[in-house]
Amino acid sequence: MEKLTIRDIARMAGVSTTAVSFVLNGRAGVSEATRQRVQAIINETGFTPNIHTRRLNLKRSFTVHVVLRQYDFSLFNLFAMDVLTGIFRESKSLGYSVIFTSVENEAECSELMDAIHGKEADGVIFIQVFHEKVVQLLQAEQFPFLCVDCHVPRDGTVPLLEVDYYDAAYRAVRYLAQKGHRDIGFLISDRHAQFHRQTDAGFDDALRDSCVPCRPQWLQRVIHNIPQPATNAMEKMLSGPSRPTAVFCASDTYAANAIRYVTKLGLRAPEDISFIGLDDLVISEYTRPAITTMGVDKVRMGRLAMETLYRMMNGQPFEPIQLMSTTLIERDSVRTIPGGT
Amino acid sequence: MEKLTIRDIARMAGVSTTAVSFVLNGRAGVSEATRQRVQAIINETGFTPNIHTRRLNLKRSFTVHVVLRQYDFSLFNLFAMDVLTGIFRESKSLGYSVIFTSVENEAECSELMDAIHGKEADGVIFIQVFHEKVVQLLQAEQFPFLCVDCHVPRDGTVPLLEVDYYDAAYRAVRYLAQKGHRDIGFLISDRHAQFHRQTDAGFDDALRDSCVPCRPQWLQRVIHNIPQPATNAMEKMLSGPSRPTAVFCASDTYAANAIRYVTKLGLRAPEDISFIGLDDLVISEYTRPAITTMGVDKVRMGRLAMETLYRMMNGQPFEPIQLMSTTLIERDSVRTIPGGT
DNA sequence: CTGAAAGCGCTAACAT
DNA sequence: ATGTTAGCGCTTTCAG
């Protein structure tokens, strides 16, 4: 049973290899009788065609690369994990394999490009990674790829799928305002600063529409290259003469760390400061208080990503810009200020 | 630049394809001059050999399958995530690709077997999944595989890498005893019941060595097929006439859920009940109280797994049974009982 | 040291 | 409907 080939099967069934190949691929061109006979032999012998030959011939690998951010501190992939689940499920039903990579440095970039040129995969999905040079190369070669939650410019140049940050920020802040908060802070990533216009705009517009003033000191950029990011930013936010009664965190990670930080300071959440997050990560229901957040269906996001890439890989039409909507998940980190609007 | 083949390179360099192949694979058999010339052309053209051909010829795919438990509720892969990171890093430096799968049902099992027969991978690592039938098939075919944290019997039949549960349980309970606890509960999985002897034994021995009595009602099996597992078990544990002052949780997940549950009940942790966990998951430092736990270096575990599988795949000697040791990570979920030992 | 040529296992024209 | 055969792109004997 070691090394059966299509030729062996053909011989055993008394037909040509073509016939076997057709049966294997469910193609027309063989009589029902032949098909049955061949299929029977295949089943009996447990024959499975060599996958590499198939890929070599078809010049397609039925595999996609998923590029992840190599994670520095563990929290960072809670989001990607769920997206991956979605990608994984969808890829399975689409008959694709998925293999992971990272592109942290030059070496890894060329490794990825080599893998692509070597035809290891037919497409690539970037999750939270945007590597300008790699993307340009891919574009130049017309190689199918999709950026998921990468904060790339929405100019239609790069196909992307991301959270509707504008809307999420807008609604989160409006929610805080509704709860009576008028002193609102904002914790956002320092990365991709130029691309955060969406979130920023949502925040600003919500403030304006709620007639709430904007205090620059309460807008803090979170530095990532340290353990427990957001701690620093929170410290700065609280260093002024007055402090916000609520803060919108562009990620639940920030919210979790911020909550931990202010708690350590002796402040109570949400009594002294309320927090609303974004993403709805696994940790969010385990913190105390549990984090109220704008949740995203990350698994669906993954499925959608894979489905979109599939379309690209198969020359079907696809939406170059797709936004995931969010849902408010009320937990315990936002208090209502009596007498509020 | 689309479809350069080794033949093109050979022509351009004025040599045979053999020479190019040798250069590509760094094999002896070409003069330094030729090597240089060929290499130059390769670099100029950016030629990358087709990966499938190589795999077809060598009859090896330089790929490994990683089988994960399809996760029902999100918490369950916090452990696997870190292990994956390790596998991923090690595989990269070993020149292997890794592709993911699951074997939840019959269909998926045969998909995996087909992939293996089709030579998609040279080995497989199971993480927290033990599928008897699949394992038997693999064994019958002498196909390299390794079980990571699968709770398989340690009879040497199946190569495994897991946490040293006996030691972890033993030390956790001893620690509780040292802290003055004499009423100790135990939360353990209901899955793989027959394989939990290690943990059970560690628990029992520690109890005995600490001269602490064992109360059956405080030993609860955690059911998994519900959201927030451990809640149920905790409820049962507290339903008796007296309750433990501390409980050892066979997973931080249980600890997190148990803490949340008792907190909701109005009990305080660790004042009323202390908890010590196992694994040191991401959530563990975000719960309140943060969970004191027996930590495992999961990333290293992943690297070790990949390295071991590599040895198996390449006919090198390997340890069939490997245990990861744990480290006590003291956080805030265990209190000291005054007057204790 | 180098090149011709025979595969690796399968797909798909092209005949029959 | 079925069989023949020429590749797919590379590795690897085996002569030269």
Side-chain angles (χ1 to χ4, degrees), chain A residues 16-257:
Chain A
S16 74
T17 59
T18 309
V20 180
S21 177
F22 279 16
V23 173
L24 240 24
N25 296 291
R27 289 183 41 168
V30 270
S31 65
E32 194 47 35
T34 309
R35 158 160 280 125
Q36 303 260 328
R37 190 148 35 89
V38 172
Q39 189 61 59
I41 308 251
I42 289 175
N43 294 337
E44 274 170 41
T45 57
F47 166 76
T48 314
N50 181 303
I51 209 167
H52 303 119
T53 315
R54 177 182 167 75
R55 292 176 177 179
L56 175 58
N57 278 306
L58 300 183
K59 296 178 187 309
R60 301 180 59 183
S61 61
F62 303 99
T63 301
V64 305
H65 276 302
V66 171
V67 179
L68 291 172
R69 183 158 80 215
Q70 181 87 262
Y71 69 100
D72 352 64
F73 308 109
S74 48
L75 267 191
F76 291 106
N77 269 15
L78 256 25
F79 184 93
M81 217 175 75
D82 286 345
V83 175
L84 277 178
T85 304
I87 291 179
F88 176 61
R89 292 192 186 151
E90 190 68 20
S91 70
K92 200 139 199 172
S93 66
L94 253 25
Y96 275 72
S97 295
V98 2
I99 105 172
F100 295 73
T101 336
S102 53
V103 290
E104 293 303 298
N105 47 50
E106 284 307 310
E108 293 194 340
C109 288
S110 44
E111 269 174 37
L112 175 63
M113 291 314 295
D114 282 357
I116 285 171
H117 290 145
K119 308 262 186 274
E120 184 167 27
D122 303 331
V124 15
I125 295 178
F126 293 90
I127 301 184
Q128 302 182 146
V129 179
F130 182 65
H131 203 292
E132 189 100 35
K133 199 189 297 177
V134 172
V135 165
Q136 281 173 0
L137 286 172
L138 295 178
Q139 276 179 313
E141 304 180 18
Q142 308 246 50
F143 192 81
F145 74 94
L146 175 65
C147 289
V148 176
D149 202 45
C150 293
H151 300 289
V152 294
R154 288 193 196 153
D155 55 12
T157 320
V158 175
L160 80 258
L161 166 59
E162 58 180 30
V163 175
D164 189 343
Y165 288 111
Y166 175 89
D167 182 68
Y170 185 87
R171 283 167 47 224
V173 174
R174 289 292 271 172
Y175 171 76
L176 292 177
Q178 252 168 256
K179 288 287 189 173
H181 293 276
R182 298 189 49 79
D183 300 304
I184 301 177
F186 185 23
L187 245 32
I188 189 172
S189 170
D190 67 330
R191 292 184 181 172
H192 328 289
Q194 71 270 41
F195 303 128
H196 270 301
R197 276 166 309 188
Q198 303 296 333
T199 320
D200 287 341
F203 184 82
D204 289 343
D205 288 358
L207 244 39
R208 190 200 55 221
D209 293 356
S210 308
C211 301
V212 165
C214 179
R215 315 264 189 101
Q217 202 208 341
W218 294 349
L219 272 48
Q220 293 292 340
R221 300 272 163 194
V222 172
I223 301 164
H224 276 76
N225 298 320
I226 53 168
Q228 303 176 14
T231 303
N232 258 323
M234 204 58 214
E235 189 182 347
K236 280 191 205 150
M237 196 187 296
L238 298 183
S239 66
S242 61
R243 62 165 192 251
T245 61
V247 1
F248 166 55
C249 305
S251 155
D252 279 11
T253 305
Y254 303 162
N257 284 319

